[in-house]
Amino acid sequence: MNGFQDALRGAARRLARGWVLAVAAGAVGGLAGAALVLGLKPDLPGPWSWRLAASPTPSPAEIVHRIAGPSVVGVISTYLRPDPITGKPVVAARATGSGVVFDARGFIVTNHHVVAMPRVAEPGVAGAGRQRGHPTPPRGTGPSGDEGGRRADHRHPDRIEVLLPDGRRVPARLVAEDYPFSDLAVLWVDPGTTGPLKPATFADSDQVRVGQWVAAIGSPAGLFRSVSLGIVSGVREELFQPVPPPTAVPVVGERIFRLIQTDAAINPGNSGGALVDAHGRVVGLNTVKIAGAGGRQDRFEGLGFAIPANDVRRIASDLIRHGRVRRAALGVHVVDVVQVPALARSDPDRASEFATALAEGRGAVIWRVEPGSPAARAGLRRGQVVIACDGEPVQDTVDLLRIVDGKQGGQRVVLEVAGDGGARRVTVQLAELTR
């Protein structure tokens, strides 16, 4: 029996040696094949030294990173709380995000949620959100006071730092924010400390095409200046819905969200970074990713969104110059025609007011007129339908709000309004929207 076992062991050893030789030969062949496919070249004379052959042409992501990368920074927000024993401030929370250099004076545009958090989310955090010992932006920019333009329902960091492309961390100050109208905020760093900054080049986002190549540059999970490649999946226009919506008003507010949808990877930390085109121009500011929640069926991939560059440029310019965004207001709440039947059923006594809307079949239906507003002074009333504004057809509420959103307070617009007596033109002088 011992002889049989010895023979079996010997056969096993010979078989094992054969498999090792076969696997080794296969591995060598595989490496050689991979070298041919991947462009690896042997570093002669040794057979196991390989190097990656220089690519004759850089990839699109490499090109845009080289152009736009120096204009993208990291943003680090630190929140403090008192130590329960010593009372001295200690770090309670730290958040990372991204930002884009807006101009050479030191202004950086980022997302509001990168430099703010709801107060209910961080109990016990010390201070009142003032950033002590930080530089002061140039006079004539930003809000008049340290807390100007800021909301009490959100908490701001005790310390904001910007991570520069060369790896240095410098202090930054929150200049102003546009919450809740948009998820944008402006920071300032001292150019005397940072040295020369490279402002980003902003593209005309109205020319963005579905299917065009884009790259997202930012700091996902704190990985500074990461690049992901994708395409523009869509260009969306959504009405601003107050949260929570007012119970007595079944309509939206007077704002509109424009968003560029992309499948380029956008993850926590990408917020405030740049979405750039093939020329390295910023087409949008990365702001949110829809990931879903719950079970596996509720998970989503490739649903990232960016605020269009034209909106970023306009809003950031106003925040820097005035400390707030100067928006136009018409003073009406509007609904789409398809909403009218349900709304009329909820108020049968006034259902007859919406006969024109149902007959018209299109337009922005006036549901409520704010007392003392430009619309009230122009004689507009509930149930009328706006079918054109400054010569542009209005098919629904999005059309009207988009046109008004492009105006400024004090400008006059000509509305074409359908009512009981037919259509007529009404001139309205827009007011400035207040918070």
Side-chain angles (χ1 to χ4, degrees):
M1 181 67 79
N2 288 339
F4 177 80
Q5 290 177 342
D6 291 339
L8 186 61
R9 291 191 189 99
R13 283 194 293 269
R14 288 192 297 273
L15 183 61
R17 282 198 298 270
W19 277 110
V20 169
L21 291 173
V23 170
V28 171
L31 286 172
L36 292 175
V37 173
L38 298 177
L40 291 170
K41 293 182 179 180
D43 212 359
L44 300 177
W48 300 105
S49 294
W50 300 82
R51 61 184 174 84
L52 187 63
S55 175
T57 56
S59 72
E62 185 180 354
I63 294 172
V64 299
H65 183 262
R66 189 183 304 157
I67 298 171
S71 301
V72 180
V73 300
V75 178
I76 304 166
S77 299
T78 302
Y79 300 83
L80 303 177
R81 63 173 176 81
D83 184 276
I85 298 176
T86 66
K88 295 180 179 180
V90 295
V91 174
R94 182 173 284 123
T96 60
S98 308
V100 175
V101 178
F102 190 72
D103 65 26
R105 295 177 295 168
F107 292 104
I108 294 168
V109 63
T110 185
N111 283 147
H112 163 266
H113 73 261
V114 171
V115 291
M117 66 165 61
R119 286 190 178 275
V120 294
E122 34 80 43
V125 176
R130 299 175 186 268
Q131 303 140 36
R132 294 176 290 277
H134 284 224
T136 303
R139 292 185 179 275
T141 62
S144 56
D146 187 65
E147 295 295 321
R150 307 186 189 180
R151 291 175 60 91
D153 57 348
H154 275 74
R155 172 80 165 81
H156 296 93
D158 295 273
R159 182 169 66 246
I160 301 175
E161 296 170 291
V162 163
L163 183 60
L164 299 174
D166 61 8
R168 288 181 297 144
R169 287 166 64 156
V170 298
R173 175 174 289 276
L174 176 60
V175 174
E177 55 195 358
D178 191 39
Y179 181 83
F181 299 110
S182 76
D183 189 21
L184 290 177
V186 171
L187 308 177
W188 183 79
V189 293
D190 187 354
T193 301
T194 65
L197 298 170
K198 182 184 178 184
T201 300
F202 287 82
D204 180 1
S205 55
D206 289 342
Q207 303 303 314
V208 167
R209 306 179 311 279
V210 174
Q212 77 174 69
W213 289 104
V214 289
I217 306 177
S219 304
L223 302 173
F224 184 47
R225 285 176 65 191
S226 295
V227 182
S228 59
L229 200 60
I231 63 169
V232 172
S233 306
V235 179
R236 312 296 179 192
E237 287 186 329
E238 300 293 339
L239 294 172
F240 172 69
Q241 183 70 45
V243 179
T247 56
V249 186
V251 292
V252 297
E254 287 212 5
R255 297 273 58 81
I256 188 170
F257 278 150
R258 300 179 185 87
L259 293 170
I260 297 174
Q261 180 185 337
T262 180
D263 68 347
I266 294 177
N267 292 293
N270 273 118
S271 295
L275 187 70
V276 301
D277 62 15
H279 302 286
R281 301 172 303 184
V282 177
V283 297
L285 201 78
N286 301 322
T287 188
V288 69
K289 170 188 177 181
I290 297 178
R296 293 170 58 187
Q297 294 181 345
D298 296 328
R299 303 297 295 177
F300 303 104
E301 295 295 337
L303 284 178
F305 295 88
I307 301 173
N310 289 358
D311 289 346
V312 173
R313 189 164 41 214
R314 175 175 58 87
I315 291 170
S317 296
D318 268 9
L319 290 177
I320 293 169
R321 181 174 299 177
H322 307 292
R324 58 188 173 84
V325 180
R326 304 176 68 178
R327 290 184 169 91
L330 181 59
V332 294
H333 291 263
V334 290
V335 297
D336 289 329
V337 173
V338 295
Q339 296 175 271
V340 168
L343 295 174
R345 284 194 297 271
S346 67
D347 192 357
D349 294 338
R350 310 190 70 175
S352 60
E353 296 180 9
F354 299 99
T356 300
L358 295 173
E360 193 68 34
R362 67 179 182 90
V365 184
I366 298 176
W367 178 257
R368 190 177 73 186
V369 178
E370 296 291 343
S373 68
R377 290 193 295 271
L380 298 182
R381 66 181 188 276
R382 175 178 163 124
Q384 291 181 322
V385 185
V386 180
I387 56 177
C389 180
D390 276 352
E392 292 188 52
V394 172
Q395 298 293 333
D396 53 25
T397 54
V398 170
D399 283 345
L400 177 61
L401 297 181
R402 173 178 51 79
I403 297 169
V404 173
D405 197 49
K407 308 293 184 181
Q408 294 182 345
Q411 277 189 272
R412 295 178 183 272
V413 295
V414 178
L415 304 178
E416 188 171 346
V417 180
D420 296 338
R424 63 189 181 97
R425 286 184 172 84
V426 179
T427 300
V428 182
Q429 184 173 6
L430 300 173
E432 187 173 317
L433 182 68
T434 57
R435 289 180 183 267

